[in-house]
Amino acid sequence: VAVVVADVSGKGVPAALFMAIAKAMIKDHTEPEKPLNQTFSKVNNLLYESNSEGLFVTAFEGVLNLATGEFIFVNAGHEIPYICRNGEKFELFKLRPGFVLAGMEDMMYKTISVTFEPGDKLFQYTDGVTEATNSENELYGQKRLTEILEKHSSKSPEELLPLVREDIDAFVGEAPQFDDITMMCFEYKKKMK
């Protein structure tokens, strides 16, 4: 199973079109036997060639092997994911993200592997979560996100995502938001045969 969370710089129609192209390229170039870092290097160069607007995309893609629990991922300038081991609390997965897609030609990306056991979860999001702003111009922030995830670490993804969204909504109140808020969470249930 492959998962992707991505975010484009800029606003409006040019940014939306660039994101649609990036999404299609990532999907078209992701192949079962091809390393993800090679996929991102290829997509980066293709996007760079057609980047007349000077936009860029942050992207996170991971592929979960349902039989073994191995999760291989690559991070091109995107937010750092949280991982929750079964029975423990969500923690940031300490890593340095690679460079954004379409920002510079011939970038090399690093593939990272982590093995999930049944009950382990991953939470990924866009910067619209941590940069959500209230009427006092304060950011929701990484600390608040970590606290709400830790508080609800035992919840299923179906329960967790609405709780995080409610916390963000309560924080921002009626303040208008200028960025999208995207979150994804999955739980590795069992090793498939």
Side-chain angles (χ1 to χ4, degrees), residues 75-181:
N75 188 334
H78 200 74
E79 304 303 310
I80 298 171
Y82 284 83
I83 292 180
C84 178
R85 298 297 185 180
N86 190 11
E88 297 179 17
K89 295 200 178 296
F90 273 103
E91 292 183 355
L92 275 171
F93 189 84
K94 300 291 185 192
L95 62 94
R96 176 182 281 167
F99 198 66
V100 297
L101 297 175
M104 192 181 298
E105 202 170 13
D106 296 328
M107 294 303 300
M108 302 297 290
Y109 295 91
K110 183 177 179 182
T111 301
I112 297 162
S113 175
V114 61
T115 301
F116 286 122
E117 296 297 331
D120 291 350
K121 293 180 281 246
L122 179 130
F123 176 89
Q124 183 57 291
Y125 57 101
T126 59
D127 63 3
V129 172
T130 51
E131 293 176 5
T133 309
N134 66 13
S135 58
E136 283 80 46
N137 218 24
E138 299 168 321
L139 297 178
Y140 183 77
Q142 193 84 54
K143 183 175 183 283
R144 185 179 289 269
L145 177 59
T146 301
E147 287 171 357
I148 193 73
L149 289 173
E150 285 178 351
K151 181 178 178 183
H152 297 293
S153 291
S154 63
K155 302 284 188 193
S156 70
E158 297 83 3
E159 297 169 313
L160 177 69
L161 292 172
L163 290 168
V164 176
R165 184 61 205 226
E166 286 170 18
D167 195 58
I168 295 167
D169 290 345
F171 174 80
V172 302
E174 299 298 318
Q177 299 305 298
F178 301 100
D179 204 355
D180 62 293
I181 293 175

Side-chain angles (χ1 to χ4, degrees), residues 15-27 43 46-47 50:
L17 289 173
F18 198 68
M19 187 71 242
I21 292 166
K23 177 185 172 188
M25 284 185 179
I26 291 170
K27 184 177 181 184
V43 169
L46 291 170
L47 288 172
S50 61

Side-chain angles (χ1 to χ4, degrees), residues 22-77:
K23 177 185 172 188
M25 284 185 179
I26 291 170
K27 184 177 181 184
D28 290 347
H29 288 86
T30 299
E31 300 171 19
E33 301 304 318
K34 187 176 181 182
L36 286 178
N37 60 335
Q38 290 179 19
T39 298
F40 269 43
S41 291
K42 176 74 172 174
V43 169
N44 174 67
N45 284 345
L46 291 170
L47 288 172
Y48 182 81
E49 289 170 12
S50 61
N51 191 6
S52 60
E53 296 288 327
L55 300 169
F56 64 86
V57 173
T58 67
F60 172 94
E61 181 177 20
V63 176
L64 177 64
N65 182 321
L66 297 175
T68 65
E70 183 182 30
F71 184 68
I72 297 171
F73 68 92
V74 67
N75 188 334

